[in-house]
Amino acid sequence: MHITGDMKMVDVVQHDIQLLAVIQRFEIPLGFREKTVKEVCDGHEVNVDFFLHIANSFHDKEFLDWQKFKTFPIEWIIRYLKNAHRCYIDYRIPEIERQIQNFEKQVDINEKNIDLLLNFFRKYITEFNAHIEQEEKNVFPYIIRLNQLVNEPTSEGIDTSDEFFIKQYHEEHNNIEETLFDLKSILLKYLPPPVNNCLYNNLIYDIFRLERDLLDHAELEENVLYPLVKEMEDILMSNRSNK
Ligand SMILES: [Fe+2]
Ligand SMILES: [Fe+2]
């Protein structure tokens, strides 16, 4: 399905429930009534072309066009990424942790296994938080400053200490979804499911969904954000050497 602005928002979500996550990241509340995608976007000051591009890309990879992403303002992309960060940190990660803790109440899983699982996941949370913090405290503000500098050459410069560092950061940008793959493998391969198999399946399903979501997120950073930043850095470098 190719999502268009004249479709009803409720039909779009009925067709692909995963798009609820995209809608949340645009800060659009539910309660769409009979409104079209365009009407809902207009009502919440969301650019409908940007919304459609993200929704279509994540709904069906066939519509994915990284070059087209680069035509939208970089601030919109960063805002979208930051809203996704909030969702992971405030809800998705604590929910998975809570589900693992719940297994302690299950009698037929060895306590030691639960502890191992919890330790593994808590280590992951630390790694995850550090990743997000680095992006929000250093990378994103740097990109915003860089963008100002390219678009308004009279604005304040950037510190020499953090100049042109995106290449290095990009090389170090680790894949935070990979550890989730390992966690899922441990659950599937080694841990016997508890009495309530439903809870166990639910946990695996939630980890799988988060892993997929993080993969889309990382791809947006890798294929859109960083190449855009590299282009801006190159412009500034050449301006500087031409002076
Ligand atoms: Fe991120
Ligand atoms: Fe990232």
Side-chain angles (χ1 to χ4, degrees):
M1 179 182 73
H2 184 239
I3 305 160
T4 56
D6 57 3
M7 287 178 174
K8 282 191 184 165
M9 186 65 107
V10 70
D11 293 341
V12 170
V13 178
Q14 291 270 24
H15 188 82
D16 182 358
I17 196 74
Q18 308 276 10
L19 289 175
L20 272 184
V22 170
I23 290 168
Q24 173 270 326
R25 278 146 219 188
F26 276 96
E27 300 164 59
I28 296 175
L30 303 186
F32 309 126
R33 298 174 192 263
E34 298 298 318
K35 288 180 184 163
T36 64
V37 171
K38 185 171 183 333
E39 285 166 345
V40 171
C41 286
D42 289 349
H44 293 92
E45 290 170 22
V46 169
N47 179 284
V48 68
D49 288 335
F50 185 49
F51 177 87
L52 286 171
H53 194 61
I54 292 223
N56 277 310
S57 304
F58 294 152
H59 166 65
D60 184 346
K61 297 275 179 201
E62 217 180 282
F63 299 110
L64 199 87
D65 175 357
W66 296 123
Q67 290 306 320
K68 171 111 200 271
F69 264 112
K70 293 185 191 170
T71 61
F72 298 109
I74 208 158
E75 296 94 333
W76 294 0
I77 298 167
I78 289 180
R79 187 166 177 183
Y80 180 85
L81 292 168
K82 277 175 126 177
N83 283 339
H85 287 172
R86 287 276 64 78
C87 176
Y88 303 142
I89 288 191
D90 294 344
Y91 179 72
R92 306 279 289 274
I93 298 266
E95 172 58 21
I96 291 174
E97 187 181 17
R98 190 189 60 75
Q99 287 188 50
I100 299 174
Q101 278 168 332
N102 254 353
F103 287 137
E104 279 173 336
K105 296 172 197 149
Q106 302 281 331
V107 281
D108 67 341
I109 277 200
N110 185 322
E111 242 177 72
K112 225 168 98 192
N113 283 338
I114 299 289
D115 285 347
L116 282 175
L117 207 58
L118 266 174
N119 284 342
F120 184 91
F121 193 65
R122 283 184 180 142
K123 245 192 228 156
Y124 175 69
I125 297 176
T126 310
E127 186 193 318
F128 188 91
N129 288 343
H131 183 115
I132 303 287
E133 196 176 306
Q134 161 78 328
E135 286 179 348
E136 297 214 349
K137 285 206 174 141
N138 301 319
V139 184
F140 293 168
Y142 169 73
I143 296 171
I144 300 281
R145 283 206 304 283
L146 208 60
N147 191 41
Q148 274 171 351
L149 212 59
V150 169
N151 293 307
E152 306 156 33
T154 50
S155 63
E156 284 279 295
I158 40 182
D159 294 343
T160 43
S161 56
D162 63 3
E163 271 181 289
F164 312 132
F165 87 145
I166 207 72
K167 184 169 177 286
Q168 187 205 344
Y169 180 70
H170 193 180
E171 280 162 9
E172 289 168 3
H173 189 225
N174 54 352
N175 298 323
I176 40 176
E177 68 285 350
E178 274 173 12
T179 314
L180 288 178
F181 180 84
D182 297 340
L183 181 63
K184 209 170 62 201
S185 300
I186 294 172
L187 285 161
L188 288 168
K189 285 186 189 166
Y190 304 113
L191 287 188
V195 177
N196 187 344
N197 215 346
C198 212
L199 277 178
Y200 197 76
N201 290 353
N202 206 40
L203 171 66
I204 295 171
Y205 182 67
D206 276 1
I207 295 170
F208 175 76
R209 271 198 321 144
L210 181 61
E211 184 193 352
R212 269 189 48 180
D213 196 338
L214 287 174
L215 193 65
D216 285 342
H217 183 91
E219 280 186 344
L220 192 56
E221 289 173 345
E222 298 268 340
N223 297 326
V224 180
L225 202 59
Y226 298 137
L228 272 175
V229 176
K230 183 75 187 64
E231 278 168 29
M232 292 196 289
E233 286 181 341
D234 289 346
I235 292 171
L236 290 173
M237 289 269 241
S238 76
N239 286 355
R240 186 166 292 185
S241 53
N242 289 338
K243 271 183 190 169

